[in-house]
Amino acid sequence: MQSSVEPAYIQDFIHFEQHVAKLIHRAGWTVETAKPNQRGYDLAIKKDNFVGAVQVKWLKNNVTAPQLLAFANFLDSEEGQKYNFGWFITTKGFGGPAQALIKSWGQNSKIRCGIALENKLVGFDKVSVIDEEPKPGDTTQNTPKKVYFGVFTCKGGVGKTTVAAHLAGALALQGFNIALVDLDPEKNLQKLVGDGVFVPNPKGVGTTIQVFDGSDWHEDSARDCQIVICDCSPALERNPEELVKQLDYCIIPTTLNPLGINKHGKVIQDTVKEIRELNNHAHLFVLVNNFKDPGIRRLRLMKNVYFDAYKEISQTDDKFHCIDPEEVCIRASDILYYWGIHVLENPENSASRLAFDLIGGRCYPREDFISLADYIENKAGIGFLRAN
Ligand SMILES: Nc1ncnc2c1ncn2[C@@H]1O[C@H](COP(=O)(O)OP(=O)(O)O)[C@@H](O)[C@H]1O
Ligand SMILES: [Mg+2]
């Protein structure tokens, strides 16, 4: 965390975007703010016959390669082709992999990357100058509302991190940009996914999963994300209170094990109680993870006990949903067990891709998580956020 006082122009996204717009305007460009729901860029700029799209990235840390790839993908899209070039302007700087990517694009790339300082824009290496001698200008923009998901059970090892990451993957495949926030001090999510994944879409603009450490998280750092998924710490009090209060949906992973149903029932009851102390509006979904099919007869018996354990909560809390495992559950799978290994580097364009995107035929994790994403999308009505 920074101890020194930040200059006013980077205090939040709006100030930063205005600052960038000013710098560009002073260099003789006409600057227009993109419409609030416009995907891919923040400012459209024009001088003589040149039109450019500018992505303004307000971050507390360095730009990552997936964030750049998303912009490159936008510039290749039909909408993006209307622009002669793109500028990617950020607050702090560019991380190692991002710098390597920029260098691999070379001098003639359609994208130029820079940092906005107090009086000028400088290149990504802080040396090559993008523009100088600024003059005043102005713009404003509202932040579209994001949907917040938490994945929380007050117990370790039930699949919170697995569910958070793969739900992010499934939603990214369905056309959403996702911010994944790692709130667990164990940082398993970051160990597994790194700082993000770019999910290419052959039919349109690709999407990103950007990963944030809880301490770096700020809504303005993820302005292009429609969905925020928090991988929560199992100790509720260790999660930032504002975030818990902000959750619209919370997924509560559990296991359906004949010996543990009552014990797990108690864990879920405690989980719900803890969430409700801070947040009364979130829809809560209990999700069976690590499901091993016991055959239909035993499953029906187990389901009765399972639903019984939550009957009381269901009767008093109308935003509590216990997902029927026959409808949606996450099956036990070797692929999931080792799923971290499947987040592979794709050497062709240095984009990492989610493993389940690569596996054809029957792929339990992918099918299960897409069904979960569909289920939640239907219940939650987040389809309007879909961009592509
Ligand atoms: N559906 C599943 N099938 C197989 N292994 C799973 C499944 N869900 C989780 N696991 C494994 O169980 C362990 C705990 O999962 P994790 O997501 O880290 O739980 P938590 O975040 O709640 O502590 C991990 O090794 C993970 O790979
Ligand atoms: Mg975890």
Side-chain angles (χ1 to χ4, degrees):
M1 291 264 92
Q2 303 249 307
S3 54
S4 59
V5 179
E6 300 275 15
Y9 71 90
I10 53 172
Q11 82 188 38
D12 55 31
F13 176 84
I14 297 292
H15 283 83
F16 185 61
E17 188 192 48
Q18 287 176 357
H19 179 68
V20 173
K22 262 182 216 166
L23 293 178
I24 297 173
H25 182 78
R26 285 187 208 164
W29 296 84
T30 314
V31 182
E32 253 179 55
T33 317
K35 292 182 212 86
N37 282 322
Q38 176 63 50
R39 291 278 295 256
Y41 67 95
D42 301 292
L43 303 170
I45 64 174
K46 202 169 169 215
K47 182 151 79 174
D48 306 325
N49 288 327
F50 290 102
V51 283
V54 182
Q55 165 93 280
V56 179
K57 200 79 192 153
W58 184 97
L59 291 174
K60 291 183 170 189
N61 48 13
N62 285 332
V63 172
T64 61
Q67 290 167 338
L68 283 178
L69 284 165
F71 188 50
N73 195 242
F74 162 73
L75 289 173
D76 285 341
S77 71
E78 211 179 302
E79 173 72 17
Q81 304 231 350
K82 295 179 193 155
Y83 298 93
N84 308 116
F85 62 88
W87 284 355
F88 190 104
I89 308 293
T90 189
T91 31
K92 290 277 178 287
F94 293 79
Q99 292 199 21
L101 186 64
I102 297 167
K103 284 183 186 142
S104 77
W105 286 340
Q107 295 267 313
N108 297 325
S109 165
K110 205 173 155 183
I111 301 184
R112 294 178 74 181
C113 300
I115 302 157
L117 304 181
E118 182 136 27
N119 288 309
K120 61 181 174 195
L121 298 172
V122 297
F124 77 94
D125 45 10
K126 302 202 183 171
V127 184
S128 60
V129 172
I130 289 186
D131 249 321
E132 279 180 324
E133 293 158 37
K135 271 188 253 139
D138 68 322
T139 103
T140 45
Q141 191 178 340
N142 323 320
T143 313
K145 169 102 179 70
K146 294 188 201 323
V147 173
Y148 280 78
F149 283 90
V151 184
F152 172 68
T153 307
C154 60
K155 184 171 188 297
V158 290
K160 290 183 293 299
T161 303
T162 308
V163 168
H166 280 80
L167 177 64
L171 289 169
L173 286 174
Q174 300 201 359
F176 298 104
N177 282 323
I178 315 292
L180 259 180
V181 188
D182 191 356
L183 298 175
D184 193 332
E186 286 187 29
K187 308 275 168 249
N188 285 337
L189 186 69
Q190 291 169 83
K191 283 176 209 154
L192 294 170
V193 204
D195 57 17
V197 179
F198 175 66
V199 183
N201 178 345
K203 288 189 233 113
V205 180
T207 50
T208 53
I209 301 170
Q210 299 174 52
V211 179
F212 296 88
D213 188 82
S215 62
D216 288 334
W217 166 251
H218 187 291
E219 204 177 85
D220 280 355
S221 292
R223 291 191 45 102
D224 47 354
C225 296
Q226 297 86 23
I227 298 176
V228 181
I229 300 178
C230 302
D231 180 18
C232 296
S233 160
L236 190 78
E237 68 282 2
R238 297 194 70 162
N239 297 290
E241 203 175 303
E242 329 77 74
L243 267 177
V244 178
K245 285 183 174 158
Q246 217 161 352
L247 298 180
D248 300 295
Y249 303 98
C250 190
I251 298 179
I252 306 174
T254 188
T255 44
L256 188 60
N257 162 338
L259 299 174
I261 292 179
N262 287 321
K263 196 176 94 211
H264 289 141
K266 174 83 174 74
V267 170
I268 302 303
Q269 282 162 17
D270 290 347
T271 301
V272 171
K273 214 167 118 200
E274 287 182 12
I275 298 169
R276 285 290 180 242
E277 273 166 26
L278 291 173
N279 180 324
N280 261 318
H281 63 264
H283 281 268
L284 314 179
F285 296 92
V286 180
L287 169 71
V288 172
N289 180 33
N290 229 324
F291 178 74
K292 299 172 192 78
D293 193 346
I296 193 70
R297 280 189 43 211
R298 288 195 66 202
L299 175 61
R300 294 266 155 86
L301 289 172
M302 271 159 74
K303 259 176 50 174
N304 286 340
V305 187
Y306 172 65
F307 284 126
D308 239 31
Y310 306 121
K311 209 156 141 196
E312 218 181 290
I313 315 177
S314 307
Q315 282 168 352
T316 52
D317 191 327
D318 63 349
K319 292 190 171 119
F320 174 84
H321 317 270
C322 192
I323 306 178
D324 182 342
E326 280 191 78
E327 224 176 310
V328 176
C329 68
I330 309 300
R331 284 170 273 192
S333 140
D334 291 349
I335 294 167
L336 273 182
Y337 189 72
Y338 297 109
W339 75 270
I341 298 165
H342 296 283
V343 181
L344 302 169
E345 284 293 316
N346 175 351
E348 269 159 72
N349 55 5
S350 49
S352 17
R353 296 176 58 164
L354 279 177
F356 61 39
D357 191 28
L358 300 174
I359 299 163
R362 287 195 70 76
C363 179
Y364 288 162
R366 182 181 167 146
E367 284 172 23
D368 289 351
F369 283 100
I370 288 184
S371 310
L372 174 63
D374 276 340
Y375 184 92
I376 294 165
E377 192 176 332
N378 284 333
K379 292 267 177 202
I382 50 180
F384 68 93
L385 289 169
R386 187 191 303 284
N388 295 331

